[in-house]
Amino acid sequence: MAIDSGAPPVVGRERELAVLDEVLERLAETGMLGCVALVGDPGMGKTRLLTELRARADARGHLCLAGSSAEFERDLPFGVWEDALDAHLATLDAATWDREVLDELAAMLPALRTEGAPRPAVPDERYRVHRAMRALLERLAADRPLVVVLDDLHWSDEASIELISSVVQRGVDAPVLLALGIRTGQIPAGLNSALAAPAVVHLPVEPLGEKDALLVAGDAVDDARRREIFAESGGNPFYIEQLARAAPAQGPRAPGADVGTGVPPAVASALAQELAGLDRRDHRFLEGAAVAGDPFDPELAGEIAGLGLDDALDALDALLASRLLRPTDVPRRFAFRHPLVRRAVYEASPSGWLLGAHGRAAATLAAQGATASARAHHVEQSAGRGDAEAIALLLSAGLETAGRAPASAARWYEAALRLMPEADRGTRVETLVGLAGALRHVGDLHGSHERLLEATALLPPEEVTLRVALTSACAVTETFMGRHESAKRRLAGALAELPERRSPEGVAVLLSLAGEYFFTAQIAEMWEVANDALAIARSLSEPALVASAAAVVAHAGFMHGELEPAEAARAEASELLAALSDAELALRLEEVNRLGWAEFYGGLYAASMERLERGIAVSRASGRGEFIPLMTQASGLGAMMLGRLDEAAELHERSLEGARLSGNPYMTCAALITSAQVAWAQGDSEAAVRAAREGVALAKDADSGVIPALCATVQAVLMLEAGESPEAAERVVERAGGWELPLLPTLWQARNQEGKARADIAAGRLDDAEAAAARAEAAAARCSIPISHAHALRARAAVLLARGEPAAAADAALASAASADAAEARIEAAASRMLAGRAVGEAGHRDDGVELLRGAERTLDDCGAAGLRDEARRHLRKLGVRAGPRGPRGTDDSGVGALTKREREIADLVWDRQTNREIAAGLFLSEKTVESHLRNIFFKLGVSSRVEVARAIDAARSDPR
């Protein structure tokens, strides 16, 4: 594709062009993502340099695509990406592309849309769109390097900025260059951290010197006037060109157009002179184009201007000849010479005419079948208060964009509220709730909270059910803000105000209150309130209420040591939920989340993961994703406990991506806790400590509660294990109430006390280790969960071994392994057997010790627990035994039947001839995770190539025995 061959030569930008050439060379050399950010004042020449970059890339044979944001369309979701990619995608046959990727991208790129309703979007999983875009960029760059120019990002919508940040920060495994144009001082907040990455090349675009400025002014004016132009322009190329277009300075200037952005009066006056010279038809078409967009469709501009097609096209030709407009690379799409020209035209248009123009724009777009979000800007600008049709359109735009672009949805909900009559309370409440949800998804928790309170205040007294729902939503928002005591007071007040406590509304409030007691580690109170709710639910004979209450009773019971009633409640809730269809379950996702967490706390990891997998699938299919982050987190914890660390890492990466996008510090803190634990289990102590530190920092403003306390405890234990001072760890653990850990649920106490005991022993602090072991035993006795006993017994075994009692230590460690086996916690069981092997060896039974250590090493290697595996190998070497190879993970099983569910899924895709990249995109995994699974598959199948994997799967399919 030829790139703007009519563009004038670049003058005075040798330094900038050299940097761009270097960036292109690096792209070809590395074959990886590159990014260059051009930053400068308006008119400084960023766009011209980006055009030259495209020309030079095109000359090298690269694929070059470009888009720009527009000042008056900044709430069109993914607008700059659509502008850059859609026309090219429309020329490609995407029928054979990965369906998952296409489904995610179809809502943002019209060229990829197919018949039928698009997949419901889940705002908590916006990262899926980001992963899909990275997969698309890799596909487009598969045959030759790809250059994507995204200009005028200071006007971009937040969804586009989120996506750019994700691509820059997470990278693309292909030769892709992102070239960004942004105004000085107007870098979107969401881009700041991405542009701080070391790989980003920053290219400031500064004023021209006098010599170059005179060249830009050209020979149409004399030397004296050129020097005046340089002085008036400050070396800004656009200003120079505009002043040179105007008549030589003489007499009074025309009044300046209102182009804003600090444009010098002389430049504004020169632009006004140029526009004043147009005839009426051309000027009116230019005004229609300014309303239509930048770039714009000439038919739409003509309709807005009220011109017939012939007149519109004649006006277009005249304006192209005058260079006020220019063609683009896309057929039938035209743009203004510069965004400042569009602004000048728009701002100078009569206000009354603009109202009608936007109305005509909205009507024409509707007739063309445009989406609600594409018409919303024009409706917002033209509609009057009480316009029911306009309000409905804005609400549709809010619903349309809420899943993938909640910031845009918030804009349209707010616009609808401005038009809505005060008397229409029902619609106002519904809109305020939608706005609160959108604000929550972009991290504005305070704004979300205020809108929920505003909606609650509009409800009449008889609206008890909705009032309870909104009160609970307010409490949840306060929880996310770390204001637990406020949330509990709000719920207690709502309970007291209910006309009848023994009602569905009463059960709902009690369950919300039980949740708050969990977050403040008041497990006895949680247990009491949950049982109260369950008794009421049973008396009302409402199965859905019973399922919800039983799940919370199970959750509280497993943590409170009430195992029999907890298991009975779990079984009851499980039976009720299992009987529901997917459509029915979509209305009970909160119950699924609660029960999944209850099963995790009860040590039923496989059952928890199976339940949550269904819950997540139903959430995505129904577009109700508010519980997906929590379900993903619990599922990742379950995978970690079952020894599936690769899967756990992938789930927690998703959880953390979603949490970061939400802008919710509390949710991000919770995700970081478990990410730290997975990283530590994988042997990456540096990443573990870093994640824990970040979590503690994010929770600094929260009330004391489980999340801040757990994060502080994890950080403190990791600090000790990493060899940092006890004093430093002591200061951190104060957020958990000190090493007694009173603010943690009992289940987490035993785990962290065992970690502290281990660190204390390594540092020679045996008395401190003894105290930690005793606290672990007390915690295990209180909750009676097998995994807690495993931790407590291992802590005791470690202390016994350190005190020179290896026989007793071996007994305790083997008992610990048995408890971990009962919970199917493979890594924990292997860690206990490793300690038992050490103790048995020290007791003089070398061969038995070696056998235990060997078994532990194989299990830990198979699970991906590199840190503990290496520890086992060190102990084997101490016993004079050569450690196992550092190759594929060992396993006692082999053949296709030994593959895990995920491994078999990947092996089947290998059989289907998919590449690692295609598998990663289709399963929404990282390519690194796919490679890790393939190493395990190779070893279990005893093969060394993908061809042999395919043959093994083919044989298994042929012989289903």
Side-chain angles (χ1 to χ4, degrees), residues 8-9 11 208 210-227 229-230 237 239-246:
V11 175
L208 296 174
E210 183 172 4
K211 178 182 176 182
D212 294 322
L214 296 180
L215 291 174
V216 172
D219 298 328
V221 293
D222 59 31
D223 289 346
R225 177 60 187 141
R226 284 196 291 171
R227 285 190 291 273
I229 287 174
F230 173 67
Y239 297 171
I240 294 169
E241 291 175 353
Q242 189 61 53
L243 290 169
R245 287 175 183 276

Side-chain angles (χ1 to χ4, degrees), residues 489-500:
R489 286 194 299 272
R490 183 176 303 282
L491 292 168
L495 192 62
E497 292 173 6
L498 284 176
E500 175 55 63

Side-chain angles (χ1 to χ4, degrees), residues 737-748:
W739 282 115
E740 294 292 333
L741 306 182
L743 298 180
L744 290 194
T746 307
L747 180 71
W748 290 107

Side-chain angles (χ1 to χ4, degrees), residues 374-570:
R375 296 150 54 197
H377 164 69
H378 298 293
V379 170
E380 179 189 27
Q381 297 298 318
S382 60
R385 189 172 179 82
D387 185 333
E389 187 176 344
I391 293 168
L393 183 282
L394 291 168
L395 293 177
S396 293
L399 287 171
E400 191 175 274
T401 56
R404 291 182 174 86
S408 295
R411 161 80 180 271
W412 304 134
Y413 285 135
E414 287 174 338
L417 284 168
R418 287 194 296 272
L419 298 180
M420 208 174 287
E422 295 289 344
D424 191 357
R425 292 194 171 194
T427 307
R428 289 188 73 83
V429 168
E430 184 179 347
T431 306
L432 284 165
V433 172
L435 175 56
L439 292 174
R440 178 173 67 82
H441 289 304
V442 298
D444 185 0
L445 296 177
H446 292 280
S448 178
H449 188 250
E450 289 173 4
R451 295 301 181 274
L452 289 170
L453 291 176
E454 189 178 341
T456 305
L458 291 175
L459 294 175
E462 61 272 16
E463 284 276 12
V464 177
T465 301
L466 184 53
R467 182 180 299 279
V468 165
L470 293 184
T471 299
S472 295
C474 279
V476 168
T477 305
E478 287 171 337
T479 297
F480 287 154
M481 295 162 69
R483 291 160 44 180
H484 302 295
E485 296 307 319
S486 175
K488 284 192 289 190
R489 286 194 299 272
R490 183 176 303 282
L491 292 168
L495 192 62
E497 292 173 6
L498 284 176
E500 175 55 63
R501 178 188 173 101
R502 302 185 67 80
S503 62
E505 294 78 18
V507 172
V509 175
L510 285 168
L511 294 179
S512 295
L513 188 57
E516 286 305 319
Y517 281 132
F518 165 76
F519 280 109
T520 51
Q522 294 173 276
I523 306 304
E525 289 83 353
M526 179 187 182
W527 170 249
E528 180 181 348
V529 168
N531 275 288
D532 190 4
L534 180 56
I536 296 172
R538 284 174 174 155
S539 71
L540 296 172
S541 300
E542 293 196 22
L545 279 178
V546 172
S548 187
V552 180
V553 167
H555 189 177
F558 284 132
M559 291 191 299
H560 196 47
E562 302 285 352
L563 298 193
E564 289 188 14
E567 173 53 31
R570 186 205 68 82

Side-chain angles (χ1 to χ4, degrees), residues 919-940:
I919 294 170
L923 298 180
F924 280 84
L925 303 173
S926 66
E927 207 163 337
K928 181 179 177 182
T929 298
V930 172
E931 291 168 358
S932 178
H933 281 305
L934 274 174
R935 286 195 298 271
N936 294 344
I937 292 167
F938 283 0
F939 188 75
K940 289 181 179 180

